[in-house]
Amino acid sequence: MIRLTEEKTKAWLAARGLPVPKGAVANTPDEAAAVVDRFGGGVIKALVATGRRGKAGAVKVVANAAEAKPAAASVLAVQIGEHSVERLYVESKVSIDKEFYLAFAFDGRSPSVVASINGGVDIEEVHRQSPESIIHRPIDSVTGIRFWEALDLWQSAKAPNENLASLAKITVELWQAFRGADALTLELNPLAVTVDKKVSLVGAMMGIDDNALFRQPQWQAESGEQTIGGRKQTRGELTVAEANRTLPGGAVRYTELEGNIGLLVGGGGASLLVHDMILARGGKPANHTDSSPGPITEKLKVMLREILTRPNMAGLLIAYNHLQMARCDVKIEALADALRKTGVDPRKFPIVVRLAGPAEARARELAAEFPGIQYLDDDASLDDAVRLIVEKAGKGGLREASA
Amino acid sequence: MSILINSSTRVLVQGITGFQGRMDTEFSLAYGTKIVCGVTPGRAGEIVHGVPTFNTVRAAIGRHPADASILYVPAPALRDAALEAMEAGIKLLVATTENVPRHDASLIVAEAQKRGVKIVGFNTNGIITPGECKLAGIGGDKPERIYWPGRIGVCSRSGGMSAEISWTLKKAGLGVSTCVSMGGDPITGLMMADYLRLFEADPETDAMVVFGEPGSGHEQGVANAVASGEIRKPVFALIAGVFQENYPRGVSFGHVAAMIADEADTATAKRKMLAKAGVTVVSGLDELAASVRQIMQAPAAMRKA
């Protein structure tokens, strides 16, 4: 999912004619002060694609440019989780009468809508304290949410009569925006009604389906920077990601971990199973890999080079489920290339291979050129392969790489 | 018998002139599958391995009636292709396309539910009833290397693991009634429990094996169906991905996902839930083979838990 920052989400909503407060991006306290001056006061927020900014002290209300500078500087100094604040979003202040909560997301196979009259606060807190005040409904993808359904939603959420019609109208419009953007999540918190009874989308966050970029090219640029489990990608991961982008063929994914057993495993399901079985036997994987169908020899070469040149490695396991379409030999071709380039010697560094299926005979021939590679027999199970590599790696088969 | 497909199933292939469509059609015909017609817009009149191509589904099945359609259609065109097949009256769609946009997948499934259409996938490698019929890539050019006829139903979230499990059963002297690669995309048409209900009703299936992964509510549905007594035949489950729990989770966006996400999403939670419901949960393939053999060698009367 591509998480859009606030200004991108709001620009998208504004372009559809939806009511968002006027705002501008600022990079420095001076720029923020200039915008506040122009707006005659405003709200300074950290421009990071995450919620809980209020709690972290990353939202400040200011009356004028003089107040804006120190406020902007303090927001720029905040750290929210792993996000540091590099830019600010300065918005004109809205005179809020009531704050509601509205979100769209996928719940299993159907989209769903979540509504509450307790907006403007942490919705998880609302959920803990009064779960009954949060109304959660599936949406029929064929019909979408219709005006009368939205009325019923807000009535069930106990919204005041005077706000029902405008809340229902904006809910239908936001559903259309959610679908139109190929969004996976759209959260409005608060969805405000102003003192002059107008709806204003004061808080807005959206996450886009990367699988729909072919028809949403405007967010291609946002899909770059990725983090894995809250950390930045490593040099090796970036190298493989770069190869994945620039070389043709099926997709490869590569995540580095702390262990010492290198893994080239696949496909999706078998790679999970093999990883589990290694841990269950006391082994420690140095990475996880996965790949999708398509010719990937060149990408595998890059990935295997990265795996073989990591420090403190004790072994490599190449294990796939019985292949049906994909060829066995391309994996060994990539391995042979990586062995030649890194100078790793399989007689000293344990390499266990379990590959069965199309072009297996050629794969065995290629592997035979490297004494030491243990290519398991045809009736060996994935369990056998895991047992062997954990045993060999456990014996401290330290690698002597010359490259 | 079997589920969903058998030797008399007549098959349409949407996207038959593409690389994958051509190759799977060749292998499937060789296996005995009755592929009767194909569709690629703008390519009417072409013959692919003896199969005539038409521009539209309606034109194709007007000449060559079909029960099922395999879709080799790229993601941007899938929504229309699936709706076209449903509109023309096809009741079983096998959707190989992966990474289908969520809004499209959701729309196709909602439409299928309204029309009583069964969708296998998205991102399925196919279905095989060994010795009779195979749809899509499953088994490749030598299905008999992996899939042996028998009395175990297999349903896997992973196409590769449907092969590994079936091969493991074959090595243990067992065979498969029907094996379904149900698809690995976040949204699938038929759910895992739906396949188990079909296996339960199939007199030629004695037991079932499922392969699951973290995410999605498939195993919850299976646990419910087994615990309620709806599924009475023995069910074996292999749930992979426990290792993911050792590493920090990706930072979640906003609060919506966290709030409505199913808490039973992790592999460990799924294993516990299934075991509690009465499913035999195994942690590897060797163990799977041994457990299934043990049950299958018991007299039929003792197989019901």
Side-chain angles (χ1 to χ4, degrees):
Chain A
M1 185 168 76
I2 301 163
R3 299 177 176 100
L4 298 184
T5 43
E6 185 173 8
E7 95 281 18
K8 299 249 162 52
T9 300
K10 286 185 168 166
W12 163 260
L13 295 171
R16 293 181 67 96
L18 293 167
V20 298
K22 60 182 172 176
V25 175
N27 295 297
T28 62
D30 283 338
E31 284 180 29
V35 179
V36 168
D37 198 38
R38 184 148 52 90
F39 288 168
V43 185
I44 298 173
K45 309 184 202 183
L47 200 46
V48 287
T50 181
R52 298 170 175 271
R53 290 176 301 174
K55 264 191 185 166
V59 178
K60 301 271 182 200
V61 180
V62 296
N64 52 47
E67 280 181 34
K69 271 196 200 176
S74 75
V75 172
L76 280 167
V78 166
Q79 178 83 16
I80 310 171
E82 86 281 13
H83 298 273
S84 55
V85 181
E86 275 150 26
R87 293 184 308 152
L88 302 167
Y89 190 58
V90 183
E91 218 169 42
S92 65
K93 193 168 171 345
V94 175
S95 303
I96 295 174
D97 178 32
K98 295 198 189 87
E99 295 183 308
F100 300 92
Y101 176 91
L102 179 67
F104 297 91
F106 278 86
D107 185 16
R109 295 187 290 183
S110 76
S112 63
V113 60
V114 178
S116 173
I117 54 171
N118 298 318
V121 290
D122 187 344
I123 195 68
E124 285 177 340
E125 192 56 40
V126 176
H127 186 60
R128 268 190 294 280
Q129 299 201 344
S130 53
E132 73 290 343
S133 74
I134 296 175
I135 307 299
H136 179 196
R137 300 242 167 109
I139 297 174
D140 182 332
S141 281
V142 177
T143 59
I145 186 165
R146 291 168 292 186
F147 182 70
W148 60 92
E149 292 166 328
L151 275 177
D152 184 65
L153 172 78
W154 283 109
Q155 183 170 272
S156 305
K158 301 198 165 53
N161 268 339
E162 60 164 353
N163 301 122
L164 272 186
S166 54
L167 285 173
K169 178 167 174 285
I170 194 80
T171 299
V172 171
E173 289 165 351
L174 286 164
W175 155 258
Q176 286 159 354
F178 173 71
R179 175 131 91 180
D182 270 301
L184 296 179
T185 61
L186 172 58
E187 186 179 36
L188 294 311
N189 192 19
L191 168 61
V193 174
T194 61
V195 289
D196 53 355
K197 307 293 173 218
K198 295 219 167 69
V199 171
S200 178
L201 307 176
V202 171
M205 287 283 192
M206 188 156 67
I208 305 296
D209 184 354
D210 342 37
N211 291 333
L213 281 179
F214 63 81
R215 63 185 175 210
Q216 305 287 356
Q218 69 273 25
W219 289 308
Q220 186 76 53
E222 314 302 316
S223 70
E225 181 106 354
Q226 295 287 331
T227 56
I228 295 176
R231 66 162 168 81
K232 290 256 195 277
Q233 284 181 290
T234 63
R235 190 201 51 79
E237 287 165 353
L238 289 169
T239 305
V240 176
E242 168 75 11
N244 190 40
R245 263 195 308 277
T246 53
L247 298 170
V252 296
R253 285 169 287 273
Y254 173 66
T255 309
E256 292 189 346
L257 304 166
E258 300 287 307
N260 59 3
I261 300 176
L263 296 183
L264 176 60
V265 290
S271 66
L272 300 180
L273 180 66
V274 167
H275 199 136
D276 277 353
M277 293 196 298
I278 288 183
L279 287 176
R281 293 199 170 271
K284 291 193 172 58
N287 65 278
H288 190 75
T289 63
D290 192 9
S291 55
S292 62
I296 51 171
T297 314
E298 294 308 310
K299 294 182 180 184
L300 291 184
K301 285 179 186 172
V302 175
M303 190 153 77
L304 280 165
R305 272 206 302 276
E306 290 303 323
I307 293 173
L308 290 173
T309 51
R310 284 189 69 192
N312 306 319
M313 296 289 279
L316 171 67
L317 173 65
I318 300 183
Y320 281 69
N321 54 259
H322 264 254
L323 297 174
Q324 304 175 90
M325 287 290 187
R327 297 169 63 94
C328 298
D329 56 350
V330 298
K331 278 101 186 162
I332 303 301
E333 250 175 58
L335 174 66
D337 179 81
L339 288 175
R340 284 191 194 102
K341 291 202 169 112
T342 59
V344 169
D345 182 352
R347 283 170 300 191
K348 296 172 185 159
F349 178 74
I351 296 179
V352 173
V353 177
R354 195 278 195 165
L355 275 171
E360 182 182 329
R362 179 157 183 273
R364 288 183 181 277
E365 278 169 30
L366 291 172
E369 290 173 25
F370 294 86
I373 293 181
Q374 284 203 276
Y375 199 134
L376 300 184
D377 288 345
D378 249 3
D379 63 347
S381 66
L382 286 174
D383 304 51
D384 294 331
V386 166
R387 262 192 295 274
L388 190 61
I389 193 66
V390 172
E391 184 192 310
K392 295 209 167 257
K395 284 183 183 152
L398 281 179
R399 174 178 57 95
E400 287 175 38
S402 59
Chain B
M1 262 203 36
S2 53
I3 68 164
L4 296 170
I5 57 167
N6 56 40
S7 54
S8 58
T9 304
R10 293 167 58 91
V11 182
L12 154 77
V13 175
Q14 287 174 267
I16 195 168
T17 56
F19 175 76
Q20 198 68 38
R22 267 175 204 281
M23 185 164 69
D24 287 356
T25 295
E26 181 185 1
F27 297 160
S28 298
L29 287 167
Y31 196 62
T33 305
K34 291 190 171 63
I35 296 179
V36 295
C37 53
V39 167
T40 299
R43 304 284 286 267
E46 285 185 33
I47 305 291
V48 177
H49 300 295
V51 178
T53 305
F54 297 81
N55 285 329
T56 65
V57 172
R58 217 172 261 290
I61 63 175
R63 292 284 297 280
H64 307 277
D67 312 299
S69 176
I70 310 172
L71 291 100
Y72 297 103
V73 177
L78 182 70
R79 181 180 56 198
D80 286 341
L83 295 177
E84 181 191 3
M86 287 192 256
E87 183 80 26
I90 303 277
K91 293 295 180 195
L92 174 65
L93 304 189
V94 177
T96 66
T97 314
E98 73 170 327
N99 297 330
V100 179
R102 203 78 64 90
H103 281 275
D104 291 356
S106 172
L107 176 69
I108 293 167
V109 169
E111 191 66 46
Q113 285 172 332
K114 286 179 206 270
R115 294 174 180 270
V117 170
K118 293 188 172 74
I119 294 185
V120 179
F122 307 91
N123 189 9
T124 170
N125 193 34
I127 328 172
I128 186 167
T129 295
E132 293 195 35
C133 176
K134 84 174 189 92
L135 267 55
I138 196 164
D141 60 340
K142 290 197 185 74
E144 59 284 355
R145 195 166 49 83
I146 296 166
Y147 300 95
W148 208 245
R151 303 184 62 87
I152 314 288
V154 178
C155 173
S156 169
R157 277 283 268 170
S158 149
M161 284 307 296
S162 29
E164 193 64 29
I165 287 168
S166 299
W167 175 80
T168 301
L169 293 173
K170 182 186 169 197
K171 197 171 75 155
L174 297 161
V176 166
S177 54
T178 298
C179 175
V180 185
S181 149
M182 64 172 289
D185 260 27
I187 290 181
T188 63
L190 292 182
M191 300 289 282
M192 199 179 265
D194 295 327
Y195 293 106
L196 297 203
R197 286 185 197 100
L198 294 172
F199 282 130
E200 179 73 17
D202 173 26
E204 295 188 1
T205 297
D206 291 336
M208 324 156 194
V209 178
V210 298
F211 176 83
E213 298 171 358
S216 87
H218 290 287
E219 291 77 6
Q220 180 72 63
V222 169
N224 293 347
V226 171
S228 70
E230 198 185 347
I231 306 289
R232 299 181 58 82
K233 295 175 182 175
V235 180
F236 301 85
L238 185 53
I239 308 296
V242 171
F243 77 91
Q244 291 186 355
E245 297 155 37
N246 294 6
Y247 305 114
R249 279 178 177 225
V251 180
S252 68
F253 171 75
H255 314 303
V256 189
M259 197 174 73
I260 61 175
D262 197 329
E263 289 186 4
D265 262 3
T266 64
T268 301
K270 288 182 175 194
R271 288 180 180 184
K272 280 191 190 140
M273 177 173 68
L274 288 167
K276 193 169 166 227
V279 171
T280 305
V281 178
V282 296
S283 55
L285 291 156
D286 292 356
E287 189 189 345
L288 173 72
S291 309
V292 179
R293 264 182 82 154
Q294 202 174 10
I295 288 277
M296 294 303 284
Q297 281 162 355
M302 288 175 61
R303 284 183 203 153
K304 310 245 172 195

